[in-house]
Amino acid sequence: MPTYKAPVSDTVFLLNDVFNYANYANAPGFSEAPIDIVEAVLSEGAKFVEEVVQPLNRVGDIEGCKRHDDGSVTTPKGFKEAYKALVDGGWVGLAGDPAYGGQGLPVFLAVLFSEYGYGANIAFSMYPGLTNGAVAALTVHGSDELKARYLPKMTTGEWTGTMCLTEPHCGTDLGLIKTRAVPEPDGSYAITGQKIFISAGEHDLADNIVHLVLARIEGAPAGVKGISLFLVPKFLPSADGGVGERNGVMCGSIEHKMGIHGNTTAVLNFDGAKGWLVGEQHRGLPAMFVMMNGARLGVAVQGLGVSEVAYQNAAAYAKERRQGRSLKGPVEPDKPADLLLVHPDVRRMLLEVRAFNEGARALLVWIALTQDEARHAPDEKARQAADDRLGLMTPVLKGVFTDYGFANAVKAQQVLGGHGYIAEWGMEQFVRDARIAMIYEGANGVQALDLVARKLPKDGSRALMAFLGEVAQFLAAEKGDAALAPYLGGLQAALGHLQQASLWLSRNGVADPNNAGAASTDYMHLFGLTALGYMWARVVKAVLARQGKGESNPALDAKLILAKFFSERMLPETAAHLARLSAGASTLMALPAEAF
Amino acid sequence: MPTYKAPVSDTVFLLNDVFNYANYANAPGFSEAPIDIVEAVLSEGAKFVEEVVQPLNRVGDIEGCKRHDDGSVTTPKGFKEAYKALVDGGWVGLAGDPAYGGQGLPVFLAVLFSEYGYGANIAFSMYPGLTNGAVAALTVHGSDELKARYLPKMTTGEWTGTMCLTEPHCGTDLGLIKTRAVPEPDGSYAITGQKIFISAGEHDLADNIVHLVLARIEGAPAGVKGISLFLVPKFLPSADGGVGERNGVMCGSIEHKMGIHGNTTAVLNFDGAKGWLVGEQHRGLPAMFVMMNGARLGVAVQGLGVSEVAYQNAAAYAKERRQGRSLKGPVEPDKPADLLLVHPDVRRMLLEVRAFNEGARALLVWIALTQDEARHAPDEKARQAADDRLGLMTPVLKGVFTDYGFANAVKAQQVLGGHGYIAEWGMEQFVRDARIAMIYEGANGVQALDLVARKLPKDGSRALMAFLGEVAQFLAAEKGDAALAPYLGGLQAALGHLQQASLWLSRNGVADPNNAGAASTDYMHLFGLTALGYMWARVVKAVLARQGKGESNPALDAKLILAKFFSERMLPETAAHLARLSAGASTLMALPAEAF
């Protein structure tokens, strides 16, 4: 049975040493969360997920969710109690508005805590994850009346949320949505249509489920400009704030799927269900994007979370399992065999996973802090810069973290050999659970296209220029540091490749947009590797500063080795990305459709 | 529900045009199989797997194998009838010795046919696959008496075979085997011990199961030099050649695993079971390696087979599913959306899979022919050269084909978006089934180590030199061909990287064997890409020759596009492999065990 230990000390090290959290302490939005509070919350949260959430991971996979003939769904044994404890402990509303019962802590803290939840149990942690996303969308776009009625229950997690976009004939292409909304005399709408793949779409964890539904008001323009967003509760709220009459939305079936069995993936049938408009008519997509952007970051965190837990269990196995001898001769001749860890290729697999995890956690901390800065930074320019970075990095984190999350779960599984393929060891569940993150909330190809076609050109490439400038400035500023220098060569080369790739895109992507599409996935990964390389350089700087003060501990030494590994073994891929994307679209587009 | 069409015309094109099968026609071992026979057998075989074997793929996944309290195992519905038809059709014994009821066709034909079986249904096709491996081991190492008693039933597939190596505490490290063999007065041995992960270890498809078991004779030397190979039947043969008394080997349980549910993965308990020595005492490992080398090639073919079927189904989806518009504007404005195929990144995924498949099939045809040459070539030198190539290429094909097989199943699944994650679509089963091939018959890290530590240095690197020389000679011979030249640049660069990497290994791998281990996986993939690049160059040459004769058809044009794609988009990875492996072992080995 796999185990999980939330990496609290790494998170705190990154906040303190790499991102100088002390500088934020009195900034607007952060004042409720001095570092000792942050650390206490993370430690308590870690304890909660380790003790309550993680033990349900495997039972959730085995039992799955069960739909009954009346359309109700039972979650796996223990989920209901654990969810209640999550709500009661205030964990769902960690960053929620205190006016609605939230804890009022900064968003970054909820994001960093969410890594632990996903590390422990993705299927379970999706329930609060989606709820938080729905709260965010309602907060920005909901009417005061809707907010007053729903946010008190949703902020705490007593009621959960969903996002209902996909229909049988359309996932990515939301312009094709057919679900209809007909205005009712009381100002509400009657919603009719079928939504599929609705995560947390039906369950027994909460008294009510609040669906945010994209639909087309009768007579609306065709395409994405005719889509509106509606709030459709499972039960209509009663006058006292509880639940009243059952609404006309039913779970028609639940999907049999590869993983995340503990989370219901529902087909929802809306049959004249009562709904209320969220935001303006025909402006549903921008409103939903508030939820989707948060959800995309959430999915990125799933990639990191599963990669971390997969690493921990593979490393534990490699430190215990004895098989073969070191290539240099027996290390422990008195034992029947040496530990797996003596084999360089086993170390390679483990270090590839871990060097990603710790670099990615740094990137996550940075972008999580950026979310709060984008809201609360005192001057407009700083808010804009933060918003730029957040917009640019959201598809990168979603696409790159989830691609690595899956690949890393596979690598960790490989360390266990045959046992990795056997269900009882839990590694194959990580692989199956990690797989969905590359698909939902916009498949990773869609993220890559969002990056190259939308985020890069936006505002004259302001966000891209700021990022490239920041990394270049860091390298220029640190080049005199003899201790740091050996760690910067790989990043310097990666930055050069990213600059060339960006130039290639700006030259060729406009002339033929297929060039941008053909380059998109390689560009996204090149970007991600460069950003991770930048994070590793900043981590090394922080470690050297500590060591410069005479501090010495194995955790700091390990960071230096991992940074070097990342540079030697993972950054070389940037050149391959550049070579591939520079090939352009012509060969890709040459094969006629019928020849596929 | 996924479908499958065996790629017969591609196989035949490769045989005829790329490998000039006509040249083999009168060679020893090939004379029974002129090309029209080959084509007829492949076409009939294709029909059989498409109609009989493929329809059982999903039911096999859903039902799995069921063990009953008496230790017997029932395979999924339809498997028994299909297996009987496979035996009755002579498909198991395609390349079997006619003296034992085989068809006497060359081995390459059985190998090429096996791609179709694995493409249709991996779990099912493992049963005959393992049987053929056991037949090969018995043919080389069995006594005349054992051969006479078992081969008639096993060659036809009426009885099936297994290989019993792994025990709970040892998989890769067979020196740790504990299963004991005690000599009996009648010349047999009493075998006692537990074997795990035994594929096809118990089932209801055949009247008898013949286990080839590694065990230690009492008093044998420690380690791998004290291991012997035994034949242990489930039922002792009766005097009339049928089955007699039940032997003391029982299926204790079957594993719950990620995929290949239709194949039993058994824990086998040997309790004084009667067994007979195969080959010499304490020489069990070399005897088992006859089976393992064949099995490794068989597993490589699984990687190709699943990659092909995954491609076919993803391509079919992309040619039917409409989502979004071409980046250059609507291609079919009268339809609600364009086909997925208009999106460059969707094409990228499909072409990456297909360019592998067709290159890998060429490599498979070459190595399959090599197997027959190694046996039958008229002069010793040609046999040796073939044997060298086979030994060198076996770990490359096993490691590279199965890594790609899995990665390609994942890519093909991605093309389907959310539907790829849903069981009914069948793509997620391909992913789960493909995963085991990276692990069993020696995990891919073991293949990589076999390549760099055993196959490369063997006989003064004769096999490596022959391969490098052959590719260099091809490039030199063809450099004047203006039509071919544009396709050769990528291969020239890849060959250079492989030469450098080989030099690096010979310089650094001996000084510190950990350097060889640290380089092994990158080296194996660099080798594989170069070999695939060489195959693509030969395919292009064959296509240009046909086109030079005035022939023009879309299949030939597609090959040229795929070759270019492979060169532009897949060969650039060789530089990254070289960069990574040149980093050496020092950083890898620096992290102390307790810091993992």
Side-chain angles (χ1 to χ4, degrees):
Chain A
M1 283 280 282
T3 59
Y4 176 65
K5 193 114 190 55
V8 177
S9 62
D10 196 36
T11 310
V12 172
F13 164 79
L14 292 164
L15 280 167
N16 272 333
D17 287 71
V18 180
F19 297 102
N20 307 304
Y21 188 72
N23 291 350
Y24 291 86
N26 292 313
F30 291 91
S31 54
E32 299 297 312
I35 191 67
D36 55 329
I37 296 284
V38 168
E39 202 167 340
V41 169
L42 291 175
S43 300
E44 278 304 303
K47 217 175 123 195
F48 182 82
V49 302
E50 288 163 12
E51 291 174 3
V52 177
V53 180
Q54 194 273 339
L56 300 175
N57 193 47
R58 188 152 150 66
V59 67
D61 186 57
I62 295 171
E63 282 191 16
C65 296
K66 287 190 192 68
R67 179 183 174 278
H68 308 288
D69 289 343
D70 63 356
S72 67
V73 169
T74 307
T75 53
K77 201 162 74 180
F79 270 45
K80 196 166 174 169
E81 296 71 22
Y83 186 75
K84 186 170 186 313
L86 190 81
V87 170
D88 291 350
W91 296 109
V92 182
L94 210 54
D97 187 341
Y100 300 120
Q103 306 285 318
L105 290 164
V107 172
F108 85 86
L109 191 49
V111 172
L112 300 185
F113 169 62
S114 77
E115 186 207 324
Y116 307 165
Y118 290 128
N121 191 332
I122 291 180
F124 177 87
S125 300
M126 287 169 67
Y127 294 103
L130 285 156
T131 304
N132 279 320
V135 167
L138 277 179
T139 301
V140 176
H141 292 285
S143 67
D144 289 344
E145 202 189 327
L146 284 180
K147 286 199 243 187
R149 188 154 292 186
Y150 290 92
L151 286 184
K153 294 287 188 186
M154 294 177 72
T155 300
T156 58
E158 287 164 272
W159 294 358
T160 65
T162 75
M163 47 199 300
C164 300
L165 288 74
T166 303
E167 300 183 2
H169 59 288
C170 69
T172 302
D173 189 351
L174 297 169
L176 302 177
I177 277 177
K178 288 178 182 166
T179 298
R180 306 189 313 276
V182 180
E184 295 284 304
D186 66 354
S188 72
Y189 289 79
I191 312 289
T192 302
Q194 188 179 64
K195 296 287 178 178
I196 65 169
F197 298 163
I198 308 307
S199 296
E202 181 57 70
H203 57 78
D204 57 358
L205 301 181
D207 295 336
N208 205 358
I209 303 174
V210 180
H211 305 290
L212 293 187
V213 184
L214 290 183
R216 194 178 292 286
I217 297 171
E218 284 198 324
V224 291
K225 289 182 176 153
I227 294 172
S228 304
L229 181 63
F230 297 89
L231 182 156
V232 183
K234 176 177 167 185
F235 290 99
L236 301 177
S238 61
D240 63 356
V243 297
E245 199 186 330
R246 186 73 166 84
N247 200 1
V249 47
M250 299 298 288
C251 169
S253 61
I254 62 178
E255 304 286 356
H256 303 103
K257 56 195 195 293
M258 187 181 194
I260 53 165
H261 295 159
N263 198 284
T264 321
T265 303
V267 172
L268 291 183
N269 297 316
F270 295 84
D271 186 16
K274 216 173 186 45
W276 289 270
L277 188 68
V278 178
E280 293 171 43
Q281 282 195 358
H282 315 324
R283 299 279 299 152
L285 219 53
M288 190 57 118
F289 256 103
V290 172
M291 181 163 184
M292 276 163 69
N293 278 328
R296 284 174 177 186
L297 269 186
V299 174
V301 182
Q302 294 174 10
L304 172 57
V306 74
S307 184
E308 173 66 35
V309 69
Y311 170 81
Q312 290 183 14
N313 287 280
Y317 186 86
K319 286 199 275 190
E320 203 172 285
R321 174 86 170 177
R322 295 180 177 279
Q323 205 74 181
R325 289 296 185 186
S326 163
L327 296 167
K328 300 176 86 163
V331 172
E332 296 180 88
D334 53 322
K335 297 275 167 60
D338 289 335
L339 291 173
L340 277 190
L341 269 187
V342 304
H343 303 298
D345 195 61
V346 171
R347 285 175 165 254
R348 175 190 62 77
M349 292 189 281
L350 289 170
L351 292 177
E352 282 175 5
V353 179
R354 179 150 159 203
F356 167 80
N357 290 351
E358 298 189 15
R361 188 169 297 116
L363 192 49
L364 179 66
V365 170
W366 188 32
I367 300 308
L369 290 168
T370 298
Q371 280 191 298
D372 289 295
E373 288 180 275
R375 281 188 209 189
H376 299 298
D379 70 293
E380 165 66 22
K381 217 176 137 188
R383 283 198 301 276
Q384 187 183 74
D387 196 60
D388 283 355
R389 187 190 303 141
L390 186 60
L392 181 70
M393 287 292 191
T394 295
V396 174
L397 264 64
K398 198 284 185 182
V400 173
F401 281 24
T402 62
D403 276 357
Y404 276 91
F406 175 73
N408 288 349
V410 172
K411 268 177 209 162
Q413 179 189 26
Q414 189 75 9
V415 171
L416 275 77
H419 296 100
Y421 202 65
I422 305 299
E424 281 78 358
W425 288 82
M427 303 301 287
E428 62 92 33
Q429 185 191 345
F430 295 143
V431 173
R432 290 184 290 102
D433 287 357
R435 182 65 184 88
I436 187 59
M438 297 159 71
I439 298 174
Y440 61 16
E441 303 302 343
N444 286 356
V446 174
Q447 305 300 325
L449 196 60
D450 177 49
L451 176 65
V452 299
R454 217 174 292 162
K455 300 298 171 61
L456 283 198
K458 194 166 172 263
D459 304 315
S461 298
R462 192 175 64 205
L464 172 70
M465 290 308 152
F467 175 75
L468 295 176
E470 176 170 343
V471 180
Q473 210 170 347
F474 177 88
L475 286 167
E478 305 296 341
K479 75 176 168 194
D481 185 332
L484 191 53
Y487 295 91
L488 300 182
L491 176 60
Q492 186 80 61
L495 179 66
H497 297 146
L498 182 59
Q499 286 164 332
Q500 286 178 68
S502 304
L503 197 62
W504 187 93
L505 266 181
S506 69
R507 282 194 185 143
N508 300 283
V510 180
D512 179 353
N514 279 339
N515 279 326
S520 58
T521 291
D522 276 301
Y523 185 85
M524 177 178 77
H525 274 282
L526 169 51
F527 200 113
L529 280 169
T530 308
L532 290 169
Y534 175 46
M535 291 297 106
W536 270 116
R538 289 187 61 172
V539 166
V540 169
K541 187 176 141 103
V543 168
L544 293 176
R546 279 238 214 164
Q547 292 185 334
K549 288 178 198 151
E551 194 177 338
S552 162
N553 73 53
L556 294 180
D557 298 343
K559 290 272 186 203
L560 296 185
I561 293 167
L562 287 163
K564 210 159 172 208
F565 179 87
F566 187 82
S567 181
E568 287 176 357
R569 294 253 173 194
M570 296 174 77
L571 281 181
E573 194 63 26
T574 59
H577 287 304
L578 177 62
R580 281 193 287 264
L581 71 85
S582 305
S586 60
T587 306
L588 263 184
M589 303 312 290
L591 200 66
E594 60 276 13
F596 274 87
Chain B
M1 283 282 282
T3 58
Y4 176 66
K5 193 113 189 56
V8 177
S9 62
D10 196 37
T11 310
V12 173
F13 163 79
L14 292 165
L15 280 167
N16 272 333
D17 286 71
V18 180
F19 297 102
N20 307 305
Y21 188 72
N23 292 349
Y24 292 86
N26 292 312
F30 292 90
S31 54
E32 300 297 314
I35 191 67
D36 55 330
I37 295 283
V38 168
E39 203 168 340
V41 168
L42 290 175
S43 299
E44 278 305 302
K47 215 174 124 198
F48 182 82
V49 303
E50 288 164 11
E51 291 174 4
V52 177
V53 180
Q54 194 272 339
L56 299 176
N57 193 46
R58 187 152 150 65
V59 67
D61 186 57
I62 295 172
E63 281 191 17
C65 296
K66 286 189 192 70
R67 179 184 173 277
H68 308 288
D69 289 343
D70 64 356
S72 67
V73 169
T74 307
T75 53
K77 201 162 73 180
F79 270 46
K80 196 167 174 167
E81 294 72 21
Y83 186 76
K84 185 171 186 312
L86 191 81
V87 170
D88 290 350
W91 296 109
V92 181
L94 210 54
D97 187 341
Y100 299 121
Q103 306 285 319
L105 290 163
V107 172
F108 85 87
L109 191 49
V111 172
L112 300 186
F113 169 61
S114 77
E115 187 207 322
Y116 307 165
Y118 290 128
N121 191 332
I122 291 180
F124 178 87
S125 300
M126 287 168 67
Y127 293 103
L130 285 156
T131 304
N132 279 321
V135 167
L138 279 179
T139 301
V140 177
H141 292 283
S143 66
D144 289 344
E145 201 188 327
L146 284 180
K147 286 198 244 187
R149 186 155 293 185
Y150 290 92
L151 286 183
K153 294 287 187 184
M154 293 176 72
T155 299
T156 57
E158 287 164 273
W159 294 359
T160 65
T162 75
M163 48 198 300
C164 300
L165 288 73
T166 304
E167 300 183 2
H169 59 288
C170 69
T172 302
D173 189 351
L174 296 169
L176 302 177
I177 277 177
K178 289 178 182 167
T179 298
R180 303 189 315 276
V182 180
E184 296 283 304
D186 66 355
S188 71
Y189 289 78
I191 312 289
T192 302
Q194 188 179 63
K195 295 287 179 178
I196 65 169
F197 299 163
I198 307 308
S199 296
E202 180 57 70
H203 58 77
D204 56 358
L205 301 181
D207 294 336
N208 204 358
I209 303 174
V210 179
H211 306 290
L212 293 187
V213 185
L214 290 183
R216 194 178 291 286
I217 297 170
E218 283 199 325
V224 291
K225 291 185 174 149
I227 294 173
S228 304
L229 181 63
F230 297 90
L231 181 156
V232 183
K234 177 177 166 185
F235 291 98
L236 301 177
S238 60
D240 63 357
V243 297
E245 198 187 331
R246 185 74 166 85
N247 201 0
V249 48
M250 298 298 288
C251 169
S253 61
I254 63 178
E255 303 287 357
H256 304 103
K257 57 196 194 292
M258 188 181 192
I260 53 166
H261 295 160
N263 198 284
T264 321
T265 303
V267 172
L268 292 184
N269 297 316
F270 295 84
D271 187 14
K274 215 174 187 45
W276 289 270
L277 188 67
V278 177
E280 294 172 42
Q281 281 195 359
H282 315 324
R283 297 280 299 153
L285 220 53
M288 189 58 117
F289 256 103
V290 172
M291 180 161 184
M292 275 163 69
N293 278 327
R296 284 175 177 184
L297 269 186
V299 174
V301 182
Q302 293 174 10
L304 172 58
V306 74
S307 184
E308 173 66 34
V309 70
Y311 170 82
Q312 290 184 13
N313 286 280
Y317 185 86
K319 285 199 275 189
E320 203 173 285
R321 174 85 170 176
R322 296 180 177 277
Q323 206 74 182
R325 289 295 184 187
S326 162
L327 295 167
K328 300 177 87 163
V331 172
E332 296 179 87
D334 53 322
K335 296 275 166 61
D338 289 335
L339 291 174
L340 277 190
L341 268 187
V342 303
H343 303 297
D345 196 61
V346 171
R347 285 174 166 257
R348 174 190 63 77
M349 293 189 282
L350 289 170
L351 292 176
E352 282 175 6
V353 179
R354 179 149 160 205
F356 167 80
N357 291 351
E358 298 190 15
R361 188 169 298 115
L363 192 48
L364 179 66
V365 169
W366 188 31
I367 300 308
L369 290 169
T370 298
Q371 280 191 299
D372 290 295
E373 288 179 274
R375 280 188 210 188
H376 299 297
D379 70 293
E380 165 66 22
K381 218 178 138 187
R383 283 198 301 276
Q384 185 182 75
D387 196 60
D388 283 355
R389 188 190 301 140
L390 186 60
L392 181 69
M393 287 292 191
T394 295
V396 175
L397 265 64
K398 198 283 183 180
V400 174
F401 281 22
T402 62
D403 276 357
Y404 275 92
F406 175 73
N408 288 349
V410 172
K411 266 177 210 163
Q413 179 189 27
Q414 189 75 11
V415 171
L416 275 78
H419 296 101
Y421 201 66
I422 305 299
E424 280 79 358
W425 289 81
M427 303 301 287
E428 61 93 33
Q429 185 191 345
F430 296 143
V431 173
R432 289 184 290 103
D433 286 357
R435 182 65 183 89
I436 188 58
M438 297 160 71
I439 298 174
Y440 60 16
E441 304 302 342
N444 286 356
V446 173
Q447 305 300 325
L449 196 59
D450 177 48
L451 176 65
V452 299
R454 218 174 292 162
K455 301 298 172 58
L456 283 199
K458 194 166 173 263
D459 304 315
S461 297
R462 190 176 64 206
L464 172 69
M465 291 307 152
F467 175 76
L468 294 175
E470 175 170 344
V471 180
Q473 210 170 345
F474 177 89
L475 286 167
E478 305 296 341
K479 75 177 168 194
D481 185 332
L484 190 54
Y487 296 91
L488 300 183
L491 176 60
Q492 186 80 61
L495 179 65
H497 297 146
L498 182 59
Q499 287 164 331
Q500 287 178 65
S502 304
L503 197 61
W504 188 93
L505 265 181
S506 70
R507 281 192 185 144
N508 298 283
V510 180
D512 179 354
N514 279 338
N515 279 326
S520 57
T521 291
D522 277 300
Y523 185 85
M524 177 178 76
H525 274 282
L526 169 51
F527 200 112
L529 281 168
T530 308
L532 290 169
Y534 174 48
M535 291 298 105
W536 270 116
R538 290 186 61 172
V539 166
V540 170
K541 187 175 142 102
V543 168
L544 293 176
R546 279 239 213 162
Q547 291 184 335
K549 289 178 199 149
E551 194 178 339
S552 163
N553 74 53
L556 294 181
D557 299 342
K559 290 273 186 203
L560 295 185
I561 293 167
L562 288 163
K564 209 158 173 211
F565 178 88
F566 187 82
S567 181
E568 287 176 358
R569 294 252 173 195
M570 296 175 76
L571 280 181
E573 194 63 26
T574 59
H577 287 305
L578 177 62
R580 281 193 286 266
L581 72 84
S582 305
S586 60
T587 305
L588 262 184
M589 303 311 289
L591 200 66
E594 60 277 13
F596 274 86

